[in-house]
C-alpha cells in the first residue's frame, strides 16, 4: 500500500476545503477495497454544528457510491503546525465502516505524518465489541 500517494491525494484535495471561519483546511483520502481513492474536505458553516469534517465527507461520498468499507485513510491538515488526528465524531463514523486494524495516516506534511490504526485511535469501539 502506497501511503505516501494516499496522503498526497489528501493534501491535494485539502485545497478545495471550504473553511472561511477557521481557515483550517482538511483533506481526507480513503483507500477503497478495489484500489479506488475517495476524497473529501471539511465544509464549514456559520453554525459550527452544521460543519462537516473531511473524513466524514469522504466516507459519506464512498457510501453514496455503494462502498461499505475502506482499507486505509489519510488525513492532511496543511494549515496546522503539527499532525492533527481525527475528531471524536469522525472516529465513531470511521469505526462504523472499518475494522480496528485499518491504517490511519495523518499530518500537516509528509515529513510529520503519524501512522497508526483505527483501533489505536479508538480503542473502545462499542459497535464492534457488541458484535462479538
Amino acid at each position: 500500500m502506497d501511503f505516501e500517494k494516499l496522503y498526497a491525494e489528501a493534501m491535494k484535495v485539502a485545497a478545495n476545503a471550504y473553511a472561511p471561519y477557521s481557515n483550517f483546511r482538511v483533506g481526507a483520502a480513503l483507500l477503497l477495497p478495489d484500489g479506488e481513492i475517495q476524497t473529501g474536505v471539511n465544509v464549514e458553516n456559520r453554525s459550527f454544528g452544521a460543519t462537516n469534517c473531511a473524513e466524514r465527507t469522504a466516507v459519506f461520498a464512498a457510501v453514496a457510491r455503494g462502498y461499505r468499507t475502506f482499507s486505509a485513510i489519510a488525513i492532511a491538515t496543511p494549515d496546522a503546525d503539527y499532525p492533527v488526528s481525527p475528531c471524536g465524531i469522525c472516529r465513531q463514523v470511521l469505526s462504523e465502516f472499518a475494522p480496528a486494524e485499518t491504517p490511519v495516516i495523518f499530518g500537516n506534511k509528509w515529513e510529520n505524518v503519524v501512522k497508526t490504526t483505527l483501533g489505536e485511535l479508538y480503542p473502545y469501539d462499542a459497535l464492534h465489541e457488541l458484535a462479538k
Side-chain angles (χ1 to χ4, degrees):
M1 181 177 315
D2 188 349
F3 291 126
E4 191 168 1
K5 177 184 176 194
L6 191 64
Y7 180 80
E9 289 295 317
M11 183 62 83
K12 183 171 109 178
V13 76
N16 296 332
Y18 180 73
Y21 305 102
S22 70
N23 294 309
F24 189 80
R25 299 167 298 157
V26 182
L30 287 177
L31 179 62
L32 302 171
D34 60 6
E36 291 281 320
I37 294 175
Q38 176 66 58
T39 60
V41 298
N42 57 320
V43 180
E44 293 182 351
N45 189 277
R46 285 185 297 258
S47 169
F48 276 123
T51 293
N52 202 58
C53 299
E55 300 93 324
R56 287 182 287 139
T57 300
V59 168
F60 298 161
V63 169
R65 292 176 56 198
Y67 293 92
R68 296 295 184 264
T69 190
F70 60 93
S71 304
I73 186 169
I75 304 134
T77 53
D79 302 317
D81 295 330
Y82 56 90
V84 177
S85 67
C87 74
I89 294 171
C90 287
R91 292 176 193 210
Q92 179 69 44
V93 170
L94 293 170
S95 76
E96 182 83 18
F97 295 99
E101 60 274 6
T102 303
V104 178
I105 299 95
F106 61 91
N108 60 329
K109 56 186 173 184
W110 178 250
E111 296 76 23
N112 270 357
V113 79
V114 172
K115 296 175 186 169
T116 188
T117 66
L118 189 53
E120 290 171 337
L121 284 178
Y122 197 51
Y124 301 106
D125 175 7
L127 173 74
H128 292 104
E129 291 296 317
L130 290 171
K132 290 182 181 177

